[in-house]
Amino acid sequence: MSDAPLAVTPGEPAGVGVDLALGLWAVRTAETPAFFLIDDPERVAARARLLGIAAALTPIDDPREAVTAFPNALPVLRHAFPAQSVPGRPDPANGPATVDAITRAVALVRAGDAAAVVTNPIQKETLYQAGFAHPGHTEYLAALSGPDVVPVMLLASPELKVVPVTIHIPLAEVPRQLTTGKIVTTARITAVALQRDFGIAQPRLALAGLNPHAGEGGALGREDGDIIAPAVAALRAEGIDARGPLPADTLFHEEARATYDVVLGMYHDQVLVPIKTLDFWGGVNVTLGLPFVRTSPDHGTALTLAGTGKARIDSLRAAVELARAMSRRRATAQ
């Protein structure tokens, strides 16, 4: 399975997903992992012409054809979209087909026909208009995996790895939804994944405080002492190298980053802002806790860049390379 091709989803049809897939294939080397794009071949060909990319395309019906085809043509697994896609102009009519592409990718990986899922960015607002009931990719992938699956979002780059304990919720909800149990569960899943998928034998986890200065001994909020500190104690009792709560404002400079392998932040922007500032183009979104490997570029649909040829492929390249490395580590461990 680790040598099977990667399944790449198109993401928002009006966004840059197909541009990135075409661009990555166009600059492929012998080291580029073989992948196939789940999309409409005619749509992909039209976008290639718009971008001026001389990409040969091979429509396929069987993912196993992708490895043989990849050196000479971009394999495109046939997938229909009901409405014409205009770069930069999302159409809710394509929402169900966009979600179906994700579903197909997961099914192919779980059947052993693909090694991992690499998802291009979706336009959540457009999917919500089409009836999508999940906050985002992470939650939908967990729903596809089973009722007991707890998804954990990891953002990874060569400079930094971060995990938000709470994800796509309003900031005002964070103190209400943050619990010691949730922190412990997230940390356990993270520690296991760093060992299995990243080859870190003894992961070092740094837990950021929720409040400024990690609560300043309770003067700036009780959550750090009442919720986060007990989670750190519980993790250490289990043999997990965890420390905190640590003030978030001094947690991301170079010297601090040398002391840990991952930061667990208490809310989305607390840890996504630092990693996107340090390495916007090299970051990869990884969903931990799933029974398969899933990565994604760490940026959005970039509607204003779709069809212009200006979208950078760096993050998709990093996502594809990390997906291959993770899937091979998992296969070796089995």
Side-chain angles (χ1 to χ4, degrees), residues 96-312:
T98 301
V99 176
D100 286 346
I102 303 168
T103 308
R104 285 187 72 185
V106 170
L108 291 170
V109 173
R110 302 198 75 175
D113 294 323
V117 177
V118 181
T119 60
N120 272 304
I122 54 176
Q123 189 75 8
K124 296 170 190 174
E125 181 181 357
T126 304
L127 293 187
Y128 298 156
Q129 294 173 15
F132 188 61
H134 301 271
H137 258 130
T138 299
E139 296 83 358
Y140 183 59
L141 292 165
L144 292 176
S145 302
D148 298 325
V149 170
V150 178
V152 169
M153 176 190 288
L154 169 76
L155 282 297
S157 78
E159 297 288 332
L160 179 66
K161 293 180 180 65
V162 298
V163 168
V165 175
T166 63
I167 308 177
H168 299 119
I169 63 173
L171 187 58
E173 283 294 314
V174 172
R176 290 189 279 270
Q177 296 194 26
L178 190 66
T179 66
T180 297
K182 185 175 183 64
I183 296 170
V184 169
T185 297
T186 301
R188 286 174 180 155
I189 293 170
T190 301
V192 169
L194 290 180
Q195 291 174 325
R196 178 183 62 182
D197 297 332
F198 290 85
I200 301 173
Q202 297 293 331
R204 300 167 298 165
L205 281 58
L207 279 71
L210 174 66
N211 296 296
H213 302 173
E216 200 77 81
L220 299 179
R222 302 290 309 173
E223 294 88 354
D224 300 279
D226 294 348
I227 298 173
I228 304 172
V232 173
L235 292 167
R236 293 185 68 83
E238 295 178 11
I240 295 175
D241 185 354
R243 58 192 180 92
L246 302 169
D249 63 345
T250 56
L251 200 47
F252 298 101
H253 62 88
E254 186 175 5
E255 289 82 358
R257 296 198 304 271
T259 66
Y260 56 75
D261 297 302
V262 65
V263 171
L264 273 67
M266 299 304 115
Y267 57 93
H268 185 277
D269 286 8
Q270 187 181 44
V271 287
L272 267 69
V273 169
I275 192 170
K276 290 188 177 185
T277 300
L278 283 168
D279 193 358
F280 185 81
W281 295 110
V284 179
N285 186 343
V286 184
T287 305
L288 310 180
L290 302 177
F292 53 87
V293 172
R294 178 263 176 161
T295 68
S296 180
D298 183 22
H299 58 68
T301 55
L303 295 176
T304 59
L305 298 180
T308 68
K310 297 179 181 179
R312 291 176 53 166

